[in-house]
Amino acid sequence: MKEYKTEAIRNIALVSHSSAGKTMLSEAFLHVTGATTRLGRIEDGTTVSDFEEEEIRRGISLSTSVIPVEYKDVKINVLDTPGYLDFVGEVISALRVADGAIALVDSVAGVEVGTEITWQYLDKFNLPRFVLINKMDRDNANFKKALASIQEFSSVRLIPVQLPWGEKQAFQGVIDLLTMKAYKGDGKTVVEIPAEYRSEAEEARTALIEAAAEGEDALLEKYLETGELSPEEIIRGLKAVVRNVSFAPVFVAAGAAEIGIIPLLDAIVNLMPSPAEIPAPVAQGKDGEEKLPASDAGPLAVYVWKTTADPFVGKLTYFRVYSGVVNSDTRVWNQTKGVEERFGTVAVMRGKETFPMKVIHAGDLGVVPKLAETSTGNTLCDKAHPLVLPEPEYPGALYQVAISPKTQADSTKISPTLTRLCEEDKTLSWHMEPATGQTILQGMGEQHIDVALRRAETKFQVNLIASEPRIPYREAITRKGQAMYRHKKQTGGAGQFGEVHLRIEPLAEGDFEFVNDVFGGAISSSYMPAIEKGIRNVMAEGILAGYPISGVKVSVYDGKEHPVDSKPIAFEIAGREAFKLAFMDAGPVLNEPIMDVEIIVPEANMGDVLGDLNTRRARVQGMNSERGHSIVKAFVPLSEMLRYTTQLRSMTGGRGFFRMKFDHYEMVPPHIAQEIIARAQKEKKEE
C-alpha cells in the first residue's frame, strides 16, 4: 500500500438497511481495481470486510470495517458499516470520521427503516452523499420506484447522474449523463448510448446541468446565457452542490454482479471532497475553540473512532488524523485520559489485513496495536498543544439483561471483560444494580447483547449467561409510624440490654435522615451510632420484598439502658427491630422506576402503538407528527419496557424506534405490589 497525501484521500461510509449490498459493493471495488484476485461471497464467508467469526456465522456485518481502495492515484477509504439497527453505534462512529457517504437502496425493496434512520444521521453530521440504487439485476428491480421512495422522505434534492441500461436480467450497464456514454458491465467497456435511451438521457442531462449550475454564480450566469456547460464545468458545479449538501447524485449498480463499478469510483474521485476540502473541524484547545484544517504542518490532532480486541495482536486502536502526521515509534499524549501513549508500528487496515506504514498523513485513517489506556472517543495530540475533538452523541440503551458468570473462574473476569466490551462499543454500558445485586448489561437490542456475549467468549475467554433482570423496586412509607423494642438477653455471664423508642415519617428530599431526640439521658449518645447502623442495615435489605428502603426520617425519642448489660450490639439489634415494627405501622408501599419514553413510528402504526401503551400502564404526555412520523411521549414503568424493542419492531415492521431515560419513582399499584411481595417471600423461603 502506497503512502497518500491529504488531497488524494476520500473517506466514504457505505450506509443502508441490512442486506442492501454494502459488503458486496466494497468487495466489487477491490476486485475491479485488482486488489483481490477473486470476488468473495457472503454465503462462503470469504468477503474481505466481514472477517469476524460471528459475522461469517450470521451472514451479516456486525462492525464497521475499513476497506482502502486504490484507484487513479487516489485512496478511497471505504467504511463498510452494519445495516442491522442494533449496531447503529458502529454507523455513528464511522460517520464521525467519514467525509462523505453512499446510501445504498435495494432496487426491489426501496427505502427501508435502516435507510431512513441512517439518512437522519447523515443529516445530523451534514455529510455530502450519493444515493446508489443497487441490485438492479434482481427480479422485480425498478429504478423509478426505488428513486421515488427516497424522494418521498429525503431532506436533500436528488439528481440522477446515471440511468440504468436495462433492468432485472436485462441490466447490463449504466448510462452516464456526465460523459453521455454507456458503460457496459463493470464499466471498462465504453460505447455510445443505445438509441432507445437517447431521449430519456438527454432530458435527464438537462436537469443535471441545471443542478450543477446552482453550484457557482459564474456557472449559473453562463448557463442562463448559453444553455450549456462544458463537462469540466458540470463536474465543478456538481462538486460544489454535493459538498454543500444541496443535492445528492443518484447512481445505479449491481455490486455482486460487478456492474457499474468503475463509473461509481470515478464519481467518488471527482465529486466527493477530500479531507482538505471539508469545513475544518473545531477542537477544544487550552485557549478555547481551535479550527483544524487537514494539513501535515498543523498541530497533531488524532481522533480514536474504534477500538477492538484481537485475540492474536491484542488491542487494536483505529484512528483518524485530523491534523499533523502520525509516525511509527513515537510518543503521543492522550488528552482525554491525561496519559502518554507509545505508538509502535502504525498501519493501514484492509479488513483484517494490516499494511505497516512509516507515516500516516492528515485526513487518513490508520490503526495502531497495544495502546494501554486509549479507548473509543479519545483525542491524541502533542502534550505541549492539548486538543480535544468532539465525540458524537450515541443513542441510549434500550434493552437490558442481567449477567452472571458460567463458572467460578469466569466470576473474577466479569468486570474487566464488560468494561472492555463497553470501551469498544459506545452503545453498550454496564453497572451493578444495588437494589437487586445484579450486574446489568445494556444495549440496543437482543441481537446486540447476544453478539457482545459471544465476543466475551471468543476474544476474552469469559463465559457469561444472560437472564431477564429484576426491576430495582424501592420500599417506602406513606405516613408517620412509631414503635419500641426491648432487646434483652441473659446468658451465663454478662447479658445484653437495649430499649429503643422511635418515630418514622416520609422524607420528601433525600433517602435517609437520622435524628437524636432523646432528652434527659435515657440513652447515652454513644449508643446512637449503633442504633443508626442497625436501621441502615435493615434499609439496605428491605422489609416487604427485599428491596432497599428510601425516603425515611427516623427520630429516636426515648429508650432505656442498663449500667452493666447495655452494649452497642444490644442497641443495634433494638434499633433494627424497632425500625421494622415502625415501618410496618407507617403504610409501607413498593415504588417502581418510571421511564420517560419517546416513541417515533410511521403515522399508520400510531393506533396500534397507543393501544399497546395502554396495556403497559403508560401515561401519555403528548403527541405530535413530523414528516410522516408520529411522536408519542409517555411515562411508562420500567417493568413494562424490558422487552419493548422487540415488540415495537414487530408492531411497526421494524420502522418504529424509541428512546428512554429514567425519570422518577412512583408507587406500584396495590394488586401488582401484592404479587411482587408474595413472589419475594416465596423465593426467600426456598432459599
PDB file of all heavy atoms in Angstrom, residues 3 89 132 142 152 155 173 179 226 240 244 301 329 336 405 434 499 503 523 545 613 625 647 678:
ATOM      1  N   GLU A   3       1.834   5.392   0.205  1.00  0.00           N
ATOM      2  CA  GLU A   3       1.511   6.494   1.114  1.00  0.00           C
ATOM      3  C   GLU A   3       0.680   7.508   0.331  1.00  0.00           C
ATOM      4  O   GLU A   3       0.998   7.800  -0.814  1.00  0.00           O
ATOM      5  CB  GLU A   3       2.823   7.171   1.519  1.00  0.00           C
ATOM      6  CG  GLU A   3       3.046   7.239   3.003  1.00  0.00           C
ATOM      7  CD  GLU A   3       4.423   7.837   3.299  1.00  0.00           C
ATOM      8  OE1 GLU A   3       4.595   9.041   3.067  1.00  0.00           O
ATOM      9  OE2 GLU A   3       5.311   7.073   3.727  1.00  0.00           O
ATOM     10  N   GLY A  89     -24.509   2.095  16.699  1.00  0.00           N
ATOM     11  CA  GLY A  89     -23.325   2.736  17.292  1.00  0.00           C
ATOM     12  C   GLY A  89     -22.129   2.678  16.350  1.00  0.00           C
ATOM     13  O   GLY A  89     -21.346   3.633  16.252  1.00  0.00           O
ATOM     14  N   LEU A 132     -27.136   5.271  -4.117  1.00  0.00           N
ATOM     15  CA  LEU A 132     -26.854   4.205  -5.086  1.00  0.00           C
ATOM     16  C   LEU A 132     -28.018   3.228  -5.075  1.00  0.00           C
ATOM     17  O   LEU A 132     -28.293   2.590  -4.053  1.00  0.00           O
ATOM     18  CB  LEU A 132     -25.552   3.470  -4.709  1.00  0.00           C
ATOM     19  CG  LEU A 132     -25.219   2.292  -5.629  1.00  0.00           C
ATOM     20  CD1 LEU A 132     -24.846   2.764  -7.023  1.00  0.00           C
ATOM     21  CD2 LEU A 132     -24.082   1.443  -5.060  1.00  0.00           C
ATOM     22  N   ASN A 142     -36.752  -2.064  -9.919  1.00  0.00           N
ATOM     23  CA  ASN A 142     -37.491  -0.954 -10.516  1.00  0.00           C
ATOM     24  C   ASN A 142     -36.817   0.357 -10.116  1.00  0.00           C
ATOM     25  O   ASN A 142     -36.962   0.831  -8.991  1.00  0.00           O
ATOM     26  CB  ASN A 142     -38.951  -0.997 -10.046  1.00  0.00           C
ATOM     27  CG  ASN A 142     -39.824   0.002 -10.781  1.00  0.00           C
ATOM     28  OD1 ASN A 142     -39.387   1.101 -11.130  1.00  0.00           O
ATOM     29  ND2 ASN A 142     -41.063  -0.383 -11.026  1.00  0.00           N
ATOM     30  N   GLU A 152     -39.434  10.750  -1.439  1.00  0.00           N
ATOM     31  CA  GLU A 152     -40.537  10.991  -0.502  1.00  0.00           C
ATOM     32  C   GLU A 152     -40.071  11.567   0.832  1.00  0.00           C
ATOM     33  O   GLU A 152     -40.685  12.443   1.390  1.00  0.00           O
ATOM     34  CB  GLU A 152     -41.262   9.664  -0.230  1.00  0.00           C
ATOM     35  CG  GLU A 152     -42.635   9.594  -0.853  1.00  0.00           C
ATOM     36  CD  GLU A 152     -43.211   8.208  -0.665  1.00  0.00           C
ATOM     37  OE1 GLU A 152     -43.345   7.773   0.486  1.00  0.00           O
ATOM     38  OE2 GLU A 152     -43.519   7.548  -1.678  1.00  0.00           O
ATOM     39  N   SER A 155     -34.371  14.863   2.733  1.00  0.00           N
ATOM     40  CA  SER A 155     -34.230  16.284   3.065  1.00  0.00           C
ATOM     41  C   SER A 155     -33.377  16.995   2.015  1.00  0.00           C
ATOM     42  O   SER A 155     -33.276  18.209   2.001  1.00  0.00           O
ATOM     43  CB  SER A 155     -33.540  16.383   4.425  1.00  0.00           C
ATOM     44  OG  SER A 155     -32.422  15.518   4.435  1.00  0.00           O
ATOM     45  N   GLY A 173     -25.511  -2.478 -17.760  1.00  0.00           N
ATOM     46  CA  GLY A 173     -24.551  -1.407 -17.530  1.00  0.00           C
ATOM     47  C   GLY A 173     -25.257  -0.125 -17.147  1.00  0.00           C
ATOM     48  O   GLY A 173     -26.447  -0.136 -16.826  1.00  0.00           O
ATOM     49  N   THR A 179     -20.748  12.013 -19.088  1.00  0.00           N
ATOM     50  CA  THR A 179     -19.963  11.816 -20.322  1.00  0.00           C
ATOM     51  C   THR A 179     -20.866  11.534 -21.522  1.00  0.00           C
ATOM     52  O   THR A 179     -20.385  11.508 -22.658  1.00  0.00           O
ATOM     53  CB  THR A 179     -19.000  10.632 -20.147  1.00  0.00           C
ATOM     54  OG1 THR A 179     -19.782   9.477 -19.780  1.00  0.00           O
ATOM     55  CG2 THR A 179     -17.991  10.887 -19.048  1.00  0.00           C
ATOM     56  N   THR A 226     -25.973  30.749 -22.249  1.00  0.00           N
ATOM     57  CA  THR A 226     -25.699  29.836 -23.374  1.00  0.00           C
ATOM     58  C   THR A 226     -26.543  28.561 -23.354  1.00  0.00           C
ATOM     59  O   THR A 226     -26.646  27.869 -24.364  1.00  0.00           O
ATOM     60  CB  THR A 226     -24.210  29.409 -23.368  1.00  0.00           C
ATOM     61  OG1 THR A 226     -23.975  28.660 -22.171  1.00  0.00           O
ATOM     62  CG2 THR A 226     -23.277  30.608 -23.382  1.00  0.00           C
ATOM     63  N   ALA A 240     -19.563  21.226  -6.105  1.00  0.00           N
ATOM     64  CA  ALA A 240     -19.977  22.267  -5.149  1.00  0.00           C
ATOM     65  C   ALA A 240     -21.328  21.932  -4.508  1.00  0.00           C
ATOM     66  O   ALA A 240     -21.496  22.068  -3.293  1.00  0.00           O
ATOM     67  CB  ALA A 240     -20.034  23.617  -5.848  1.00  0.00           C
ATOM     68  N   ASN A 244     -21.920  21.133  -0.480  1.00  0.00           N
ATOM     69  CA  ASN A 244     -22.768  21.898   0.450  1.00  0.00           C
ATOM     70  C   ASN A 244     -24.103  21.200   0.738  1.00  0.00           C
ATOM     71  O   ASN A 244     -25.027  21.771   1.324  1.00  0.00           O
ATOM     72  CB  ASN A 244     -22.969  23.342  -0.031  1.00  0.00           C
ATOM     73  CG  ASN A 244     -23.725  23.394  -1.360  1.00  0.00           C
ATOM     74  OD1 ASN A 244     -24.489  22.493  -1.708  1.00  0.00           O
ATOM     75  ND2 ASN A 244     -23.500  24.462  -2.119  1.00  0.00           N
ATOM     76  N   ALA A 301      -3.592  16.265  15.850  1.00  0.00           N
ATOM     77  CA  ALA A 301      -4.940  16.015  16.386  1.00  0.00           C
ATOM     78  C   ALA A 301      -5.435  14.712  15.789  1.00  0.00           C
ATOM     79  O   ALA A 301      -5.666  14.612  14.579  1.00  0.00           O
ATOM     80  CB  ALA A 301      -5.871  17.159  16.040  1.00  0.00           C
ATOM     81  N   ASP A 329       6.593   4.438  15.912  1.00  0.00           N
ATOM     82  CA  ASP A 329       7.559   4.536  17.021  1.00  0.00           C
ATOM     83  C   ASP A 329       7.699   5.968  17.556  1.00  0.00           C
ATOM     84  O   ASP A 329       8.784   6.551  17.533  1.00  0.00           O
ATOM     85  CB  ASP A 329       8.937   3.989  16.598  1.00  0.00           C
ATOM     86  CG  ASP A 329       8.827   2.550  16.125  1.00  0.00           C
ATOM     87  OD1 ASP A 329       8.183   1.767  16.837  1.00  0.00           O
ATOM     88  OD2 ASP A 329       9.334   2.236  15.042  1.00  0.00           O
ATOM     89  N   THR A 336      -7.691  13.170  26.517  1.00  0.00           N
ATOM     90  CA  THR A 336      -8.937  12.767  27.193  1.00  0.00           C
ATOM     91  C   THR A 336      -8.637  12.086  28.522  1.00  0.00           C
ATOM     92  O   THR A 336      -9.279  12.355  29.533  1.00  0.00           O
ATOM     93  CB  THR A 336      -9.750  11.811  26.280  1.00  0.00           C
ATOM     94  OG1 THR A 336      -9.685  12.285  24.930  1.00  0.00           O
ATOM     95  CG2 THR A 336     -11.187  11.710  26.734  1.00  0.00           C
ATOM     96  N   PRO A 405     -21.818 -15.127  35.763  1.00  0.00           N
ATOM     97  CA  PRO A 405     -20.733 -15.959  35.219  1.00  0.00           C
ATOM     98  C   PRO A 405     -21.157 -17.417  35.129  1.00  0.00           C
ATOM     99  O   PRO A 405     -21.960 -17.892  35.932  1.00  0.00           O
ATOM    100  CB  PRO A 405     -19.613 -15.777  36.247  1.00  0.00           C
ATOM    101  CG  PRO A 405     -20.307 -15.408  37.518  1.00  0.00           C
ATOM    102  CD  PRO A 405     -21.576 -14.718  37.161  1.00  0.00           C
ATOM    103  N   PRO A 434     -27.571  -1.870  42.792  1.00  0.00           N
ATOM    104  CA  PRO A 434     -27.546  -2.165  44.235  1.00  0.00           C
ATOM    105  C   PRO A 434     -28.865  -2.724  44.761  1.00  0.00           C
ATOM    106  O   PRO A 434     -28.885  -3.541  45.682  1.00  0.00           O
ATOM    107  CB  PRO A 434     -27.228  -0.805  44.885  1.00  0.00           C
ATOM    108  CG  PRO A 434     -27.210   0.200  43.804  1.00  0.00           C
ATOM    109  CD  PRO A 434     -27.344  -0.476  42.491  1.00  0.00           C
ATOM    110  N   GLU A 499     -33.125  -0.742  74.906  1.00  0.00           N
ATOM    111  CA  GLU A 499     -34.526  -0.465  74.568  1.00  0.00           C
ATOM    112  C   GLU A 499     -34.569   0.835  73.767  1.00  0.00           C
ATOM    113  O   GLU A 499     -33.978   1.838  74.164  1.00  0.00           O
ATOM    114  CB  GLU A 499     -35.364  -0.322  75.842  1.00  0.00           C
ATOM    115  CG  GLU A 499     -36.842  -0.162  75.547  1.00  0.00           C
ATOM    116  CD  GLU A 499     -37.678  -0.059  76.831  1.00  0.00           C
ATOM    117  OE1 GLU A 499     -37.541  -0.906  77.733  1.00  0.00           O
ATOM    118  OE2 GLU A 499     -38.465   0.899  76.909  1.00  0.00           O
ATOM    119  N   ARG A 503     -39.740   7.123  66.122  1.00  0.00           N
ATOM    120  CA  ARG A 503     -40.816   7.525  65.207  1.00  0.00           C
ATOM    121  C   ARG A 503     -40.216   7.606  63.796  1.00  0.00           C
ATOM    122  O   ARG A 503     -39.064   7.986  63.645  1.00  0.00           O
ATOM    123  CB  ARG A 503     -41.345   8.928  65.543  1.00  0.00           C
ATOM    124  CG  ARG A 503     -42.050   9.048  66.853  1.00  0.00           C
ATOM    125  CD  ARG A 503     -42.697  10.429  66.975  1.00  0.00           C
ATOM    126  NE  ARG A 503     -43.090  10.668  68.353  1.00  0.00           N
ATOM    127  CZ  ARG A 503     -42.359  11.329  69.234  1.00  0.00           C
ATOM    128  NH1 ARG A 503     -41.190  11.833  68.881  1.00  0.00           N
ATOM    129  NH2 ARG A 503     -42.789  11.497  70.472  1.00  0.00           N
ATOM    130  N   ILE A 523     -30.935   7.388  76.852  1.00  0.00           N
ATOM    131  CA  ILE A 523     -29.940   6.562  76.137  1.00  0.00           C
ATOM    132  C   ILE A 523     -28.706   7.438  75.944  1.00  0.00           C
ATOM    133  O   ILE A 523     -28.812   8.568  75.467  1.00  0.00           O
ATOM    134  CB  ILE A 523     -30.437   6.114  74.736  1.00  0.00           C
ATOM    135  CG1 ILE A 523     -31.790   5.387  74.807  1.00  0.00           C
ATOM    136  CG2 ILE A 523     -29.408   5.218  74.055  1.00  0.00           C
ATOM    137  CD1 ILE A 523     -32.367   5.032  73.445  1.00  0.00           C
ATOM    138  N   ALA A 545     -40.211  -6.800  50.536  1.00  0.00           N
ATOM    139  CA  ALA A 545     -39.893  -7.756  49.469  1.00  0.00           C
ATOM    140  C   ALA A 545     -38.397  -7.832  49.182  1.00  0.00           C
ATOM    141  O   ALA A 545     -37.987  -8.301  48.131  1.00  0.00           O
ATOM    142  CB  ALA A 545     -40.646  -7.360  48.201  1.00  0.00           C
ATOM    143  N   LEU A 613     -49.616   0.788  24.390  1.00  0.00           N
ATOM    144  CA  LEU A 613     -49.149   1.549  25.562  1.00  0.00           C
ATOM    145  C   LEU A 613     -50.165   1.497  26.702  1.00  0.00           C
ATOM    146  O   LEU A 613     -49.798   1.464  27.871  1.00  0.00           O
ATOM    147  CB  LEU A 613     -48.869   3.008  25.184  1.00  0.00           C
ATOM    148  CG  LEU A 613     -47.547   3.282  24.470  1.00  0.00           C
ATOM    149  CD1 LEU A 613     -47.449   4.745  24.072  1.00  0.00           C
ATOM    150  CD2 LEU A 613     -46.342   2.914  25.334  1.00  0.00           C
ATOM    151  N   SER A 625     -46.717  15.164  15.146  1.00  0.00           N
ATOM    152  CA  SER A 625     -46.214  14.440  13.970  1.00  0.00           C
ATOM    153  C   SER A 625     -45.209  15.313  13.229  1.00  0.00           C
ATOM    154  O   SER A 625     -45.257  16.538  13.299  1.00  0.00           O
ATOM    155  CB  SER A 625     -47.365  14.026  13.061  1.00  0.00           C
ATOM    156  OG  SER A 625     -48.116  15.155  12.724  1.00  0.00           O
ATOM    157  N   GLN A 647     -40.894  -5.944  20.669  1.00  0.00           N
ATOM    158  CA  GLN A 647     -42.332  -5.836  20.387  1.00  0.00           C
ATOM    159  C   GLN A 647     -42.633  -4.664  19.463  1.00  0.00           C
ATOM    160  O   GLN A 647     -43.459  -4.776  18.562  1.00  0.00           O
ATOM    161  CB  GLN A 647     -43.109  -5.693  21.714  1.00  0.00           C
ATOM    162  CG  GLN A 647     -43.204  -7.033  22.437  1.00  0.00           C
ATOM    163  CD  GLN A 647     -42.790  -6.945  23.899  1.00  0.00           C
ATOM    164  OE1 GLN A 647     -42.329  -5.927  24.371  1.00  0.00           O
ATOM    165  NE2 GLN A 647     -42.967  -8.037  24.618  1.00  0.00           N
ATOM    166  N   ALA A 678     -45.450 -11.342  47.369  1.00  0.00           N
ATOM    167  CA  ALA A 678     -45.677 -12.793  47.541  1.00  0.00           C
ATOM    168  C   ALA A 678     -44.559 -13.589  46.868  1.00  0.00           C
ATOM    169  O   ALA A 678     -44.050 -14.569  47.427  1.00  0.00           O
ATOM    170  CB  ALA A 678     -47.034 -13.176  46.949  1.00  0.00           C
TER     171      ALA A 678
END
